[in-house]
């Protein structure tokens, strides 16, 4: 299997990411409309809008990092309003998830309104968790807040701080109090070399068993370090002389022991893990086939621009099956692979049994080459030739009689490979020709399973008359020495290359 993953592009070699050792996590909670998001923006130092995909559990929480002072930092989570007695949209599940992940809570209340029954209801919920709480009495710029401040000690929490999230008053008092309630971790916030590998998937697909198997390998060096509540243990392993950190999805496991979380919550947790990782292992239960939850997590991996290795767990159960019914299940699992392959563009796949250890030695083999492909870097002249050949194979359709002309192309970043194209007009994100350009670049650069990002900028007529400032991108550039692979039968779709 290793031959498939020999790098065939100019990569970053042994470049490793610099992760940070376990920053503490602080969650901002409270009833609706008390200034939680304003306080979040104040702490992180810039305005950051909350994303709403749709109402309900799929609404994204927003995260950031802020300065605690005295050389310490912390991750922070902004949450929606907590309404313990009335939650028709199910948003409370997300808030409770943030509380479980946090090392400390900022409980925001409205000082101008004073102590009200909804604050007491939130307090009753917070007392169920063994997490330190700092009450932030907001709107300190009003006389009402200053007069009602001491009322909030009735909630029973030791630490109360009077502040104004809008004007910044009292923020130093808040960070000083947080430093007191958040115990420092040895090595906290210091860089640690090694790529981070997130292990994600729906509940009960074998994530814990896989980590245990990988940690038991003779070549593995296990070094647990204290991290956040969300990631209580990150596991350090070595493979072929290279260090890696396994990012454990402990939050999903913890909740599944109590009651199985919805697939939406599992996806939400996976997004947090994927964002901190360099590569994601997506574990799928072979006996259940590829579900909508699996596809949603795959979408999250792709949208965040991370490479993925798909692990089909419990495959031995299907291989050993002798009944026709189980043979049909196996065939359905194979057929459903095409749906996943379409999202992740032909990712590496390993069939394993995390319970018995079967093929566990193959799990890490695709990783080094996948990461190297993810960090692919090519010259500007090669980028111009790359996209010029794509245009020669399939001319872009005209828009209202106006042809699309590429003026100049250059790679602006890696991980994932991102190219900026200057043209006479932009192309919409969902346009089939844009997807064709991405797929064409992926085929030529042999980047199976690697997201490619295109940024298409419109050049003004005056800039077009001046021409590109670098190597020409139009008309007759020399062909690159790299040989293009033949395009698929449907060059317009998102489709992946054939295995």
């Amino acid at each position: 299997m290793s031959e498939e993953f020999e790098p065939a592009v100019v990569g970053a070699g042994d470049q490793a990411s610099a992760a940070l050792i376990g920053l503490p996590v602080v969650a901002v909670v409270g009833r609706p409309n008390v200034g939680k998001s304003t306080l979040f923006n104040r702490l992180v130092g810039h305005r950051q809008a909350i994303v709403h995909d749709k109402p309900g559990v799929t609404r994204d929480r927003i995260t950031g990092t802020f300065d605690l002072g005295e050389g310490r930092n912390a991750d922070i989570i902004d949450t929606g309003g907590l309404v313990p007695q009335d939650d028709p949209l199910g948003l409370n599940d997300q808030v409770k998830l943030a509380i479980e992940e946090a090392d400390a809570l900022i409980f925001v209340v409205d000082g101008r309104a004073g102590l009200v029954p909804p604050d007491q209801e939130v307090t009753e919920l917070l007392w169920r968790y063994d997490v330190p709480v700092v009450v932030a009495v907001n709107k300190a710029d009003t006389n009402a807040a200053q007069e009602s401040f001491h009322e909030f000690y009735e909630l029973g929490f030791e630490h109360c701080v009077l502040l104004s999230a809008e004007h910044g008053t009292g923020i130093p008092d808040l960070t000083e109090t947080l430093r007191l309630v958040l115990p420092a971790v040895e090595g906290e916030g210091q860089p640690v070399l090694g790529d981070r590998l997130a292990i994600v998937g729906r509940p009960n697909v074998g994530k814990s068993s896989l980590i245990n198997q990988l940690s038991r390998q003779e070549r593995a060096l296990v070094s647990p370090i204290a991290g956040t509540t969300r990631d209580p243990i990150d596991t350090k392993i070595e493979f072929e002389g290279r260090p890696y950190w396994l990012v454990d999805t402990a939050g999903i496991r913890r909740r599944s022991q109590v009651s199985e979380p919805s697939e939406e919550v599992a996806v939400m947790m996976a997004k947090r893990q994927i964002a901190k990782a360099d590569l994601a292992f997506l574990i799928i239960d072979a006996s259940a086939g590829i579900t909508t939850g699996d596809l949603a997590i795959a979408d999250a991996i792709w949208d965040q621009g991370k490479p993925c290795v798909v692990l089909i767990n419990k495959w031995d159960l299907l291989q050993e099956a002798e009944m026709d019914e189980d043979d049909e299940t196996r065939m359905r699992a194979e057929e459903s692979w095409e749906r996943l392959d379409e999202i992740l563009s032909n990712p590496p796949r390993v069939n394993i049994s995390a319970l018995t250890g079967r093929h566990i030695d193959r799990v890490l083999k695709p990783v080094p080459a996948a990461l190297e492909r993810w960090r692919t870097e090519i010259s500007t002249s090669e980028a111009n030739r790359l996209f010029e050949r794509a245009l020669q194979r399939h001319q872009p359709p005209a828009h209202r009689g106006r042809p699309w002309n590429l003026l100049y192309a250059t790679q602006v970043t890696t991980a994932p490979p991102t190219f900026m194209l200057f043209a006479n007009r932009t192309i919409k994100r969902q346009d089939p020709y844009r997807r064709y350009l991405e797929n064409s670049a992926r085929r030529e650069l042999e980047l199976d399973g690697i997201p490619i990002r295109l940024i298409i900028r419109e050049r003004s007529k005056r800039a077009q008359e001046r021409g590109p400032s670098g190597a020409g991108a139009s008309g007759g550039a020399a062909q690159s020495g790299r040989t293009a692979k033949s395009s698929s039968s449907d060059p317009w779709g998102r489709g992946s290359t054939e295995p």
Side-chain angles (χ1 to χ4, degrees), residues 190-425:
Q190 297 302 311
V192 55
L193 292 179
D195 289 301
R196 296 172 67 83
L197 314 177
I199 299 178
V200 297
R202 295 182 299 106
N204 305 318
V205 293
K207 297 183 294 294
S208 302
S209 299
L210 176 63
I211 288 181
N212 291 335
Q213 288 286 356
L214 290 174
S215 299
R216 291 190 189 118
Q217 296 300 307
E218 293 180 0
R219 62 173 176 269
L221 300 178
V222 182
S223 176
I225 60 172
T228 67
T229 304
R230 179 181 60 83
D231 292 322
I233 297 293
D234 284 355
T235 305
K236 182 182 180 181
I237 63 173
E238 285 189 3
F239 176 72
E240 296 181 348
R242 301 178 64 167
Y244 298 101
W245 292 89
L246 297 179
V247 183
D248 187 359
T249 52
I252 297 178
R253 286 204 311 275
R254 224 174 19 245
R255 290 175 63 85
S256 67
Q257 290 172 359
V258 179
S259 60
E260 183 171 328
S262 66
E263 289 187 345
E264 290 84 356
V265 172
V267 172
M268 183 172 59
M269 282 292 301
K271 286 181 179 179
R272 293 280 318 275
Q273 307 293 343
I274 296 163
K276 300 186 84 171
D278 299 291
L279 178 144
F281 286 114
L282 173 57
I283 304 185
I284 292 173
D285 184 344
S287 62
I290 296 176
T291 68
T292 55
D294 298 322
L295 298 177
I297 295 175
D299 266 325
I301 295 170
W302 190 264
D303 289 344
Q304 296 201 42
K306 302 301 173 70
C308 178
V309 176
V310 179
L311 305 178
I312 309 295
N313 192 26
K314 308 179 185 178
W315 191 254
D316 53 319
L317 298 181
L318 298 184
Q319 274 202 326
E320 295 171 1
E322 296 180 358
M323 298 175 59
D324 292 340
E325 181 181 352
D326 290 322
D327 288 340
E328 292 178 4
T329 303
R330 183 180 176 184
M331 291 179 62
R332 285 197 303 269
E334 288 284 5
E335 291 171 356
S336 61
W337 169 257
E338 295 180 4
R339 300 163 60 198
L340 194 67
D341 184 68
E342 181 180 356
I343 294 174
L344 297 174
S345 291
N346 195 25
R349 163 184 166 179
V350 184
N351 298 335
I352 65 169
S353 171
L355 182 63
T356 66
R358 182 169 183 249
H359 292 167
I360 291 298
D361 59 330
R362 302 182 183 181
V363 168
L364 294 170
K365 287 184 178 181
V367 171
L371 288 170
E372 188 165 356
R373 293 198 303 274
W374 186 53
R375 293 173 176 133
T376 291
E377 187 172 4
I378 64 175
S379 66
T380 296
S381 60
E382 188 172 1
N384 279 295
R385 292 192 294 268
L386 174 72
F387 288 101
E388 186 174 309
R389 288 194 295 272
L391 266 65
Q392 291 172 353
R393 286 191 295 270
H394 298 283
Q395 288 294 321
H399 179 68
R400 296 179 180 177
R402 183 186 179 194
W404 186 77
N405 296 321
L406 175 64
L407 305 173
Y408 183 65
T410 185
Q411 182 173 359
V412 293
T413 188
T414 64
T418 303
F419 299 90
M420 183 172 289
L421 310 183
F422 294 95
N424 63 327
R425 61 179 171 84

Side-chain angles (χ1 to χ4, degrees), residues 151-171:
E151 295 179 5
F152 291 96
Y153 279 100
E154 297 178 15
L155 298 176
F157 299 113
E158 179 181 357
H159 302 286
C160 292
V161 176
L162 183 64
L163 57 82
S164 171
E166 184 174 359
H167 299 100
T169 307
I171 297 299

